[in-house]
C-alpha cells in the first residue's frame, strides 16, 4: 500500500516545488549546450545571440573548407581505430583480470584504470615527450595510441561488470557439450558479455572523439582532430565552430539513443 | 522411440553391446591450498548403473564429479572410462553429459538452439540434427517449447531442457550435480521419477550428486556416502540403511538411535554396556572396544502394549513419552529414557493409538534389529554441519 502511494506523482506545494527545481536544473545543464544550435544557423559572421538572420552557410563551410573536412575525417578515423583497439585490448584485459591467476592483480587493475584518475594534462605532457622522438607526435598512430590508453579503462570497467554477472558454469556446460575453449568463448562468453563490450566501445568512441588535451599536444597544422580545430578557431569569429558543435552534439545524442534502444532490446530479448 | 535411440547409439561408434560406459575411479586426490577436498577416493561403477554420491556440503562429492567431467584436474589418482584413462583428455573431448544445479542453459539461445549446440559442435547434418532434437525433446516431454527462451520456462522445464541437451549427443555417461536442488518438493519428486524412467529407457550410466538422502534412496542402484573427502561406505539403499558400517552413515542415511558404550563379545552376540544400560546386538567384526556404538532404527523399536510384547532376549528400556508427532502415514513417539537419554520410535499410524505424552512406557527391540559399530567406525558426523545441510 505504502509502496503504491509513494509511486504516485506528488501533488501539493512540495510537488510543485520539485517540478520547478527539476525544470531549472534541466535548463541550467542543457542551455549552454543548446545555445550552439541556433548559433550555427546564423546569417552573419558573428556570435551575436540570438541570431537575427539565418543561413546554412556554416554547415556548408564545415563540409567543404579543407581544414574542417580534414579535422572531421581525422577525428572519425582515429575514434573508429580507438574503438577497435581499446575494445579488443580492454576486453582481453577485463577477462584476464577476471580469470587470470597472476599475482598482483589489484596492482595491474589500478595501473590500467589510472588514466581516469591521473590529470589528463599530465598524461598529455608525458605522451608528448615520449612520442616526439618516436615521431609519433603529429602522426595519426600517435593519436590512436594515446586515445586508446585513455579509452581502455572505460572498456575494462564496462566488460568487468558484465563478467561479474556471468555464470562460469555456462562455460563448463559448453565444454561438456563438446565445445573447445575458443568455440566456447565465441558462442557462449562473447554473446553474454556483448552488451558490456558494446557499451565500452561507445564510451571509447566518445572518449576519443571529444578528447582535446592530448590531441592539442600531438597536433600539427596539418594533423589535427575536430576538437583541436574548434579550439584553435575560437579566437577568430567563425560560426563554423557552432555548426561543428551541433554536429558533435547530434552525433553523441544519436549514439546514446542507439545504446538505449540496444539495451532495451537485449533486456526484452527480441 | 527406444529402438530409435539404440540404432543411433550404435551408429555413433559406441563399442560393444552395452549402452552405458563403465567408470573407474582409483585413488583420486584433490588438494586446495590448506585443505584436502577429495582424499583417496576409489569407486568402480559398472556400465548402466545409477550411482549417487551422497554427502554433506564440503564432503568432496561435487569435486569428484568435476574431476570426472574434466572441469577440475585431480592431483593424484586415475579416472577410467571403459578401462581407458581419461585424465589427460580435456573436458570438451570426454563425451560425458553433465546436468548442473542451476541448469546452465545458454540464455541467448532458444530451447532448440540449446539442444542443437552439442550436435553442431559435432558437425551433424541438419536433417539428422532435427530428428535427434525431436527425439530427445520427446524423451523429456518438452517438445512444445522448442522456440522458447530459457527465461520463458519454469525451473523444472529448464532442467528438463538441460537434461535433453546433455543427452542429445548420446553420451554413455551422464553426470548430474544436485539437479533438483533449486526446485520445490512436489516438482522434485516428479522429476526423480522422470530421471529413473529416462535411466531405464536409455540404459546409460548415471552418476548423481546430492546431499538429500531421501533422493539418493529413491533414485540409486548404489550409493557412495561421502564425508570429509572420503567414501565412508558404498552400497545399495537397503545395505546402507540396514547395515551401516559407520556411525556417520547410520546418522546421515535415515534416522537412528545410538547408544555409546563398551563392547565385548558374548557368544554369537555382542554386548554394549555403560553405567546406565547393557544392550545386546549382533556380534561386531573386531574385538573388545571401549568406544563402540549400538544403532537401532526408530521403526525397529516397539512400545509395549496389549498384543505387542518383547520376545526372549530383547533389549528392554523404561521411559516416559515426551511427545507424539503425527506424520500422516506414521507416528513418531519421542521417549525420555530413565537415564535422561532420548529415543525415537516410529510406528505405522494404523497401529492402534499410541501412549500419550507423560505416560510411562516400556520400549524394546530384538538384538538382530540393531547394528553394532566398533573400531574407527564409531566416529559420528559433525552435527553442526548436518544441521546446516539437512533442511
Amino acid at each position: 500500500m505504502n509502496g503504491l502511494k509513494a509511486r504516485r506523482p506528488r501533488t501539493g506545494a512540495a510537488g510543485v516545488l520539485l517540478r520547478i527545481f527539476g525544470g531549472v536544473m534541466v535548463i541550467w545543464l542543457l542551455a549552454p549546450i543548446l545555445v550552439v544550435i541556433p548559433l550555427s544557423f546564423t546569417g552573419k559572421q558573428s556570435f551575436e545571440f540570438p541570431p537575427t538572420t539565418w543561413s546554412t552557410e556554416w554547415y556548408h563551410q564545415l563540409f567543404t573548407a579543407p581544414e574542417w573536412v580534414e579535422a572531421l575525417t581525422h577525428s572519425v578515423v582515429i575514434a573508429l581505430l580507438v574503438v577497435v583497439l581499446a575494445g579488443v585490448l580492454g576486453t582481453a584485459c577485463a577477462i584476464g583480470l577476471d580469470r587470470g591467476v597472476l599475482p598482483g592483480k589489484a596492482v595491474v587493475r589500478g595501473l590500467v584504470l589510472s588514466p581516469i584518475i591521473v590529470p589528463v594534462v599530465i598524461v598529455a605532457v608525458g605522451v608528448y615527450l615520449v612520442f616526439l622522438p618516436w615521431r609519433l607526435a603529429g602522426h595519426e598512430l600517435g593519436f590512436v595510441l594515446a586515445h586508446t590508453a585513455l579509452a581502455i579503462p572505460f572498456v575494462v570497467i564496462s566488460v568487468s561488470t558484465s563478467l561479474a554477472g556471468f555464470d562460469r558454469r555456462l562455460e563448463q556446460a559448453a565444454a561438456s557439450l563438446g565445445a573447445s575453449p575458443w568455440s566456447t568463448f565465441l558462442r557462449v562468453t562473447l554473446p553474454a558479455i556483448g552488451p558490456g563490450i558494446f557499451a565500452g566501445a561507445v564510451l571509447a568512441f566518445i572518449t576519443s572523439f571529444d578528447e582535446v588535451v592530448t590531441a592539442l599536444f600531438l597536433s600539427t597544422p596539418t594533423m589535427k582532430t575536430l576538437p583541436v580545430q574548434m579550439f584553435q578557431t575560437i579566437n577568430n569569429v567563425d560560426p563554423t565552430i557552432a555548426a561543428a558543435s551541433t554536429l558533435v552534439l547530434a552525433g553523441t545524442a544519436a549514439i546514446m539513443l542507439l545504446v538505449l534502444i540496444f539495451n532495451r532490446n537485449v533486456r526484452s530479448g527480441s | 522411440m527406444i529402438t530409435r535411440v539404440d540404432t543411433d547409439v550404435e551408429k555413433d561408434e559406441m563399442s560393444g553391446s552395452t549402452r552405458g560406459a563403465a567408470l573407474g575411479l582409483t585413488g583420486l586426490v584433490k588438494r586446495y591450498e590448506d585443505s584436502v577436498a577429495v582424499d583417496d577416493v576409489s569407486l568402480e561403477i559398472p556400465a548402466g548403473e545409477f550411482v549417487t554420491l551422497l554427502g554433506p556440503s564440503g564432503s568432496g562429492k561435487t569435486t569428484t564429479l568435476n574431476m570426472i567431467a574434466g572441469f577440475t584436474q585431480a592431483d593424484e589418482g586415475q579416472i577410467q572410462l571403459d578401462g581407458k584413462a581419461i585424465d589427460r583428455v580435456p573436458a570438451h573431448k570426454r563425451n560425458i553429459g553433465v546436468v548442473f544445479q542451476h541448469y546452465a542453459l545458454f540464455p541467448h539461445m532458444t530451447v532448440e538452439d540449446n539442444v542443437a549446440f552439442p550436435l553442431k559442435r559435432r558437425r551433424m547434418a541438419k536433417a539428422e540434427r532435427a530428428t535427434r532434437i525431436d527425439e530427445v525433446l520427446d524423451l523429456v516431454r518438452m517438445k512444445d517449447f522448442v522456440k522458447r527462451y530459457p527465461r520463458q520456462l519454469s525451473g523444472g522445464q529448464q532442467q528438463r531442457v538441460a537434461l535433453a541437451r546433455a543427452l542429445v549427443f548420446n553420451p554413455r555417461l551422464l553426470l548430474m550435480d544436485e539437479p533438483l536442488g533449486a526446485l520445490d518438493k512436489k516438482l522434485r519428486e516428479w522429476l526423480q521419477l522422470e530421471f529413473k524412467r529416462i535411466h531405464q529407457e536409455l540404459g546409460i550410466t548415471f552418476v548423481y550428486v546430492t546431499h538429500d538422502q531421501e533422493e539418493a534412496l529413491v533414485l540409486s542402484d548404489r550409493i557412495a556416502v561421502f564425508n570429509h573427502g572420503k567414501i565412508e561406505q558404498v552400497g545399495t539403499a537397503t545395505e546402507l540403511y540396514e547395515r551401516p558400517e559407520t556411525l556417520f552413515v547410520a546418522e546421515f542415511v535415515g534416522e537412528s538411535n545410538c547408544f555409546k558404550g563398551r563392547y565385548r563379545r558374548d557368544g554369537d552376540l555382542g554386548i554394549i554396556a555403560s553405567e546406565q544400560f547393557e544392550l545386546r546386538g549382533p556380534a561386531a567384526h573386531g574385538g573388545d572396544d571401549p568406544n563402540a556404538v549400538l544403532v537401532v532404527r526408530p521403526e525397529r523399536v516397539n512400545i509395549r502394549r496389549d498384543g505387542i510384547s518383547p520376545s526372549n532376549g530383547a533389549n528392554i528400556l523404561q521411559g516416559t513419552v515426551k511427545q507424539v508427532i503425527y506424520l500422516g502415514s506414521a507416528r513418531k513417539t519421542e521417549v525420555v529414557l530413565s537415564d535422561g537419554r532420548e529415543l525415537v520410535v516410529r510406528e505405522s499410524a494404523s497401529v492402534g493409538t499410541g501412549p500419550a505424552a507423560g505416560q510411562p512406557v516400556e520400549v524394546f527391540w530384538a538384538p538382530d534389529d540393531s547394528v553394532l559399530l566398533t573400531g574407527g567406525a564409531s566416529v559420528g558426523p559433525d552435527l553442526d554441519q548436518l544441521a546446516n545441510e539437512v533442511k
Side-chain angles (χ1 to χ4, degrees):
Chain A
M1 283 297 269
N2 282 336
L4 283 177
K5 248 182 201 167
R7 277 169 183 272
R8 220 182 284 155
R10 286 164 196 271
T11 48
V16 171
L17 268 175
L18 185 68
R19 277 149 204 255
I20 291 173
F21 181 70
V24 168
M25 285 306 289
V26 168
I27 291 167
W28 190 52
L29 287 172
L30 285 183
I33 300 173
L34 296 179
V35 158
V36 299
I37 298 174
L39 208 55
S40 70
F41 290 102
T42 183
K44 283 187 270 184
Q45 180 155 8
S46 98
F47 287 145
E48 177 195 12
F49 189 85
T52 45
T53 54
W54 306 94
S55 77
T56 52
E57 159 76 22
W58 313 111
Y59 286 92
H60 186 255
Q61 204 38 245
L62 178 64
F63 288 112
T64 51
E67 69 269 29
W68 285 102
V69 174
E70 268 173 36
L72 183 59
T73 315
H74 285 148
S75 271
V76 171
V77 169
I78 289 167
L80 288 177
L81 289 172
V82 167
V83 163
V84 174
L85 208 57
V88 172
L89 292 176
T91 302
C93 175
I95 291 171
L97 289 172
D98 186 58
R99 279 97 195 268
V101 284
L102 69 158
K105 258 206 292 207
V107 177
V108 174
R109 178 178 288 273
L111 281 175
V112 168
L113 298 186
S114 62
I116 292 184
I117 301 145
V118 177
V120 189
V121 69
I122 294 173
V123 175
V125 170
V127 165
Y128 179 67
L129 292 178
V130 173
F131 280 11
L132 203 56
W134 292 356
R135 293 163 187 258
L136 281 172
H139 194 286
E140 208 159 62
L141 183 62
F143 285 85
V144 171
L145 292 178
H147 284 178
T148 298
L150 294 174
I152 279 179
F154 296 104
V155 180
V156 171
I157 290 172
S158 171
V159 175
S160 293
T161 312
S162 288
L163 281 170
F166 176 70
D167 184 359
R168 290 293 301 276
R169 269 166 304 196
L170 290 181
E171 291 176 349
Q172 293 187 342
S176 77
L177 298 169
S180 65
W182 181 239
S183 173
T184 300
F185 178 74
L186 283 185
R187 287 164 224 280
V188 176
T189 317
L190 209 53
I193 62 172
I197 297 175
F198 180 75
V202 168
L203 288 170
F205 185 90
I206 293 171
T207 302
S208 167
F209 198 73
D210 68 22
E211 203 285 327
V212 69
V213 183
T214 50
L216 267 177
F217 276 84
L218 293 175
S219 66
T220 59
T222 53
M223 177 65 223
K224 50 179 99 162
T225 58
L226 190 63
V228 173
Q229 171 66 15
M230 287 166 73
F231 193 79
Q232 289 174 347
T233 7
I234 197 81
N235 295 326
N236 320 338
V237 179
D238 182 0
T240 311
I241 198 174
S245 306
T246 307
L247 186 75
V248 172
L249 206 58
T252 314
I255 292 173
M256 289 328 262
L257 208 65
L258 204 72
V259 173
L260 277 177
I261 293 168
F262 178 80
N263 281 349
R264 181 165 306 170
N265 285 348
V266 165
R267 225 169 294 143
S268 66
S270 50
Chain B
M1 167 77 222
I2 302 173
T3 49
R4 227 355 192 315
V5 171
D6 281 353
T7 52
D8 275 352
V9 169
E10 278 162 25
K11 200 171 60 197
D12 277 14
E13 60 187 273
M14 307 264 171
S15 60
S17 56
T18 52
R19 286 174 285 169
L23 177 70
L25 311 180
T26 320
L28 285 186
V29 175
K30 181 68 193 176
R31 293 184 202 89
Y32 289 110
E33 270 158 41
D34 49 357
S35 64
V36 183
V38 174
D39 188 1
D40 193 19
V41 162
S42 296
L43 185 62
E44 287 298 324
I45 301 173
E49 200 178 44
F50 195 133
V51 168
T52 296
L53 314 184
L54 173 70
S57 66
S59 61
K61 57 194 193 303
T62 295
T63 308
T64 303
L65 200 79
N66 283 340
M67 289 192 284
I68 301 170
F71 303 150
T72 307
Q73 199 68 36
D75 293 324
E76 284 172 38
Q78 201 181 47
I79 302 168
Q80 289 187 327
L81 209 57
D82 274 336
K84 269 180 257 160
I86 57 167
D87 306 78
R88 305 227 163 267
V89 180
H92 69 277
K93 289 186 178 156
R94 290 196 182 186
N95 222 37
I96 295 173
V98 184
V99 175
F100 299 81
Q101 180 173 4
H102 296 286
Y103 328 128
L105 291 175
F106 305 129
H108 59 289
M109 295 183 198
T110 60
V111 166
E112 195 175 22
D113 290 339
N114 263 285
V115 179
F117 186 88
L119 302 182
K120 286 181 183 165
R121 302 288 79 75
R122 288 164 175 75
R123 307 191 190 287
M124 187 185 269
K126 201 172 177 188
E128 201 184 344
R129 217 159 66 201
T131 320
R132 192 62 200 124
I133 291 169
D134 210 45
E135 277 174 6
V136 79
L137 285 178
D138 198 38
L139 179 72
V140 300
R141 301 182 176 153
M142 284 296 290
K143 236 177 167 173
D144 301 333
F145 300 89
V146 279
K147 295 295 176 199
R148 299 270 190 98
Y149 281 89
R151 67 177 165 281
Q152 297 168 321
L153 302 173
S154 71
Q157 290 170 334
Q158 288 189 48
Q159 196 54 294
R160 278 186 286 154
V161 173
L163 180 61
R165 189 181 64 173
L167 290 172
V168 73
F169 57 94
N170 289 323
R172 301 174 59 207
L173 170 61
L174 182 73
L175 310 177
M176 302 174 99
D177 187 7
E178 307 249 8
L180 304 178
L183 302 174
D184 64 58
K185 192 170 187 296
K186 260 262 164 316
L187 199 55
R188 226 158 48 212
E189 286 173 355
W190 181 70
L191 275 173
Q192 282 171 11
L193 296 179
E194 286 286 290
F195 290 164
K196 251 186 124 91
R197 172 181 68 82
I198 289 166
H199 175 247
Q200 275 158 9
E201 264 183 48
L202 297 182
I204 64 171
T205 313
F206 274 41
V207 178
Y208 193 97
V209 162
T210 184
H211 66 260
D212 182 342
Q213 48 100 12
E214 254 176 81
E215 198 165 290
L217 296 180
V218 170
L219 288 171
S220 332
D221 295 325
R222 282 194 308 155
I223 300 166
V225 182
F226 274 69
N227 185 31
H228 294 309
K230 289 180 189 290
I231 295 182
E232 292 258 336
Q233 187 177 353
V234 186
T236 63
T238 319
E239 282 166 1
L240 292 181
Y241 193 80
E242 304 286 344
R243 292 188 296 281
E245 284 168 9
T246 69
L247 184 58
F248 179 85
V249 174
E251 297 206 318
F252 196 74
V253 181
E255 244 184 311
S256 49
N257 296 302
C258 301
F259 297 87
K260 296 192 180 185
R262 291 178 308 278
Y263 169 80
R264 69 174 192 275
R265 200 175 172 118
D266 182 22
D268 290 344
L269 289 176
I271 306 276
I272 188 160
S274 75
E275 275 88 69
Q276 293 87 18
F277 61 82
E278 187 172 286
L279 300 167
R280 279 172 298 277
H285 295 298
D288 291 3
D289 184 347
N291 296 307
V293 183
L294 180 133
V295 176
V296 58
R297 298 291 186 183
E299 65 275 9
R300 299 285 182 172
V301 185
N302 301 287
I303 298 172
R304 182 175 197 151
R305 68 181 76 137
D306 287 347
I308 309 176
S309 52
S311 53
N312 277 347
N315 292 310
I316 304 173
L317 294 167
Q318 314 294 329
T320 316
V321 175
K322 186 183 166 202
Q323 64 173 334
V324 181
I325 301 160
Y326 178 67
L327 299 169
S329 58
R331 184 172 51 228
K332 217 163 98 172
T333 309
E334 289 177 16
V335 176
V336 181
L337 300 176
S338 46
D339 60 6
R341 177 192 312 269
E342 285 191 21
L343 178 138
V344 178
V345 186
R346 186 191 271 263
E347 303 169 302
S348 165
S350 59
V351 183
T353 48
Q359 277 186 335
V361 286
E362 201 170 85
V363 294
F364 65 92
W365 68 90
D368 279 348
D369 284 338
S370 59
V371 175
L372 254 167
L373 303 172
T374 58
S378 52
V379 179
D382 181 341
L383 287 177
D384 290 336
Q385 193 186 351
L386 283 185
N388 289 332
E389 197 60 44
V390 186
K391 285 156 208 154

